[in-house]
Amino acid sequence: MSFDLVLKNGEIVFPGEGVRRGSVGVKGGRIAAILAPDEAAGGARVIDCTDRWVLPGAIDPHTHVGFGAKEADWTTESRTAALGGVTGLMTFWRSEDLDAATGPWREEGFSRSVIDFGFHFGVTARRHVEEFPALAAKFGVTSLKVYLMYKGETGRAKGFTEVDDALLFAALQAGAKVKGGVVGVHCENTEVIPVFREPVKAAGRMDLGAWDDQSPGFLETENVFRVAFFGEKAGCPVNIVHMSAVESLDLVRRMRHPNRPPINVETCVHYLSLTRDSDIGDLGKVNPPLRSQADVDGLWEGVRDGSIQTIGSDHVARKRATKGPDIWRASAGFPGIAQIWPVLVGEGYHKRGIAIETLAATTSRNVAALYNLADKGRIAPGYDADFAIVDPDGTTTVGHTDFPSHSDYSPYEGMSFRGAVTHTVLRGNVIAENGALAPALEGGAGGQYLFRAN
C-alpha cells in the first residue's frame, strides 16, 4: 500500500500503553496503518525515524492567546508551538459578551493559526454561567474556568465584581448540565494573601522567593478543597489548573473517590523545572508562584503515578519590559509552549526515569479525553496524523531568538535539556523540521478549530 507519508522504523509511543518499533502510514491526513518494522511501505514522503520516538503531537491544555499582541498572537505563538512539537492548543477566552465576541476571535484563529486550537470560556460574571449551555452548543466549548484569585479587591482592580463562591458554585451547576462539561479553577486564596504580602513588602523583599512567601502553597490547597467539595455537591467534574504545591496534590489524592465526580489535576512545565530559587529574578513571576524543589519533586511523582493527568505551559507572550521594574510591579506569567517536550523528556524521562508513554499521555491522550477532542491524542488508525518526532539523545538549548514569539525572552534562556524535537506533523503535513518552519506556512494558516460536540 502506498501512503502520503511514512514515518519509518521509529520507536512508536502509544500514550499510556507502551513503546514498540515500527512505521506509521498516513493517508488523507489520518493514520492509516501501524506497520511492523520489516513491513515494506511506500509513500510520497518517507521520514527515517530510526532511534527516534514517534509521539502524538502535544496538545497544550493551558495557554493565553491574545495577552501579548492581541490577534497577532495567533500568528506568532502558533508557529512557536509548531517548532516545539505542539500540534494543538486550548486557550482561555474571556469577554463581557461571549456570544458576540467568540465568533470573531475564532475567525482570527482560523486565519492565522498553523496548529489546531480550541477554547475554554473564562467565567467572570453571572451572565456567563447562565449562557453557558447555549454557548456550549453554539461554539463547541464544554469547559469553563473560574478565577478564584479575582475575588474581592484583587478582582475589582481588574474590573471583576462578581467573582465569589456563589459564582463558583453556579458555574459548577452549569458545567454539570453540559455533556462532557468540566470546570477548571485557578485556586489561590487572594483574600488571605495580604496577611503575608504586607510584612514581606515591609521587609523590602524584592527576590523571586518573595512572590512565593506572599502567597504560600497552602492558600492554593485551601481553595482546592473548596473546589473539589463544591464539585461533588454540584455533581460536576473539576480540573485544578496549573497546580503548583505538592500539598494540594496530597489533598486531591485523599478526596478522590470512585463514586464522586472526577477531580482532575493539571500542572505546568515551569512547576516541574523552575523554583523560587531559580536565578531568573522578576522573569519568574507567575500565578500561582514558583515553589520549592520539594514541590517540584512531589509533582513529578504525581506525574509518574498518574495523580496528575495533564501538563500544559500557561503560555503568555508578553514582552520582557512588562517583567519589572521589580517583583511587585512585574506582570505575571511568561512564555513556555515550546518547552513542553524538552522539559518532559529531559527532566521527566532522562533525569527521573518516568516512562515516555506516561509523559506522552499527559500532553495527548489525557487532554483529548478530558476535553472531548475527537480523533486526537492517540496513535491508532483513524486518528488525526498529528506527531512530534523526538530524538531522545539530542540536546535542546533554549534561546528565545529561535522562535517567532511576540515575547522577547524566556525564563528557560540558556538552559539545556536532553531531547530534541526534529519534526512536527499536523494531519499528515510536516509543519516544522529541524528547527525551521515549513516554507508552506509562510503563506497562510492551516489550523482547525476544535469544536467539541456536547
Side-chain angles (χ1 to χ4, degrees):
M1 182 177 183
S2 182
F3 301 97
D4 301 330
L5 174 69
V6 176
L7 306 180
K8 183 179 179 181
N9 197 36
E11 300 296 325
I12 305 172
V13 179
F14 299 93
E17 300 173 13
V19 181
R20 72 173 186 264
R21 179 167 295 177
S23 300
V24 181
V26 174
K27 200 170 185 65
R30 301 266 182 162
I31 298 171
I34 309 296
L35 308 168
D38 58 351
E39 195 170 351
R45 180 169 182 191
V46 177
I47 298 176
D48 185 0
C49 298
T50 303
D51 297 327
R52 297 181 183 181
W53 287 323
V54 177
L55 294 143
I59 308 167
D60 189 341
H62 194 134
T63 70
H64 296 278
V65 175
F67 279 41
K70 298 184 178 179
E71 64 273 6
D73 276 6
W74 286 115
T75 299
T76 58
E77 308 319 301
S78 69
R79 285 160 174 79
T80 296
L83 288 168
V86 178
T87 56
L89 63 80
M90 306 295 292
T91 191
F92 296 96
W93 173 234
R94 291 200 311 245
S95 174
E96 183 179 345
D97 189 340
L98 287 170
D99 190 21
T102 298
W105 190 238
R106 180 181 57 187
E107 291 306 310
E108 291 289 352
F110 266 133
S111 67
R112 297 170 182 264
S113 180
V114 300
I115 66 171
D116 292 350
F117 63 95
F119 298 154
H120 311 292
F121 284 143
V123 172
T124 56
R126 299 289 190 277
R127 66 175 294 187
H128 299 150
V129 171
E130 294 164 359
E131 295 170 352
F132 178 54
L135 293 173
K138 182 175 182 178
F139 295 110
V141 177
T142 56
S143 47
L144 297 176
K145 182 181 179 182
V146 180
Y147 305 80
L148 290 185
M149 75 166 301
Y150 289 159
K151 294 170 69 174
E153 290 298 325
T154 303
R156 282 190 285 275
K158 291 184 175 290
F160 304 135
T161 60
E162 298 183 50
V163 180
D164 56 19
D165 288 348
L167 183 69
L168 168 64
F169 198 84
L172 291 164
Q173 289 179 314
K177 296 175 182 176
V178 171
K179 182 180 179 180
V182 61
V183 176
V185 186
H186 179 137
C187 293
E188 200 171 0
N189 192 322
T190 190
E191 295 169 309
V192 180
I193 285 176
V195 175
F196 296 94
R197 177 181 293 160
E198 291 168 10
V200 171
K201 290 186 75 171
R205 294 273 302 279
M206 294 290 180
D207 57 292
L208 179 57
W211 197 245
D212 180 25
D213 289 339
Q214 63 90 44
S215 182
F218 78 87
L219 297 188
E220 174 187 85
T221 308
E222 184 276 332
N223 268 193
V224 168
F225 174 80
R226 185 176 311 182
V227 170
F229 188 70
F230 278 6
E232 176 187 347
K233 299 306 179 184
C236 181
V238 299
N239 188 30
I240 310 302
V241 300
H242 52 43
M243 182 176 283
S244 64
V246 71
E247 186 176 18
S248 300
L249 184 60
D250 291 339
L251 175 65
V252 168
R253 288 183 174 116
R254 294 196 296 272
M255 293 190 73
R256 282 175 171 151
H257 190 279
N259 296 323
R260 296 172 182 164
I263 308 171
N264 302 283
V265 174
E266 166 205 283
T267 193
C268 296
V269 286
H270 46 278
Y271 298 122
L272 298 171
S273 57
L274 302 172
T275 74
R276 56 175 284 153
D277 300 313
S278 295
D279 187 21
I280 53 177
D282 301 343
L283 299 184
K285 180 177 177 179
V286 65
N287 294 322
L290 298 174
R291 307 293 188 189
S292 70
Q293 186 62 48
D295 289 294
V296 170
D297 295 338
L299 292 175
W300 272 120
E301 288 308 304
V303 174
R304 187 194 305 274
D305 68 20
S307 298
I308 293 174
Q309 287 77 50
T310 59
I311 298 174
S313 69
D314 203 353
H315 181 85
V316 180
R318 294 194 181 104
K319 294 291 190 185
R320 187 185 188 112
T322 70
K323 301 298 288 187
D326 57 50
I327 194 70
W328 303 106
R329 288 176 286 179
S331 66
F334 40 65
I337 197 168
Q339 280 70 58
I340 292 176
W341 284 121
V343 169
L344 293 187
V345 175
E347 295 292 304
Y349 176 81
H350 285 298
K351 187 174 180 179
R352 291 175 172 83
I354 300 175
I356 187 59
E357 59 266 31
T358 298
L359 299 169
T362 66
T363 64
S364 58
R365 185 194 69 178
N366 296 354
V367 178
L370 179 60
Y371 295 120
N372 194 27
L373 304 178
D375 303 323
K376 296 290 188 184
R378 292 178 180 269
I379 298 181
Y383 279 74
D384 284 354
D386 301 341
F387 304 101
I389 301 173
V390 172
D391 178 358
D393 293 317
T395 300
T396 298
T397 300
V398 179
H400 75 270
T401 57
D402 293 332
F403 304 99
S405 176
H406 173 74
S407 184
D408 56 0
Y409 74 96
S410 171
Y412 306 94
E413 193 77 30
M415 293 178 64
S416 289
F417 299 93
R418 189 176 172 192
V421 175
T422 64
H423 298 75
T424 306
V425 180
L426 176 66
R427 290 190 304 282
N429 297 307
V430 178
I431 60 174
E433 184 171 2
N434 296 322
L437 293 167
L441 299 184
E442 297 300 323
Q448 293 185 1
Y449 177 66
L450 299 172
F451 185 100
R452 292 168 279 160
N454 64 80

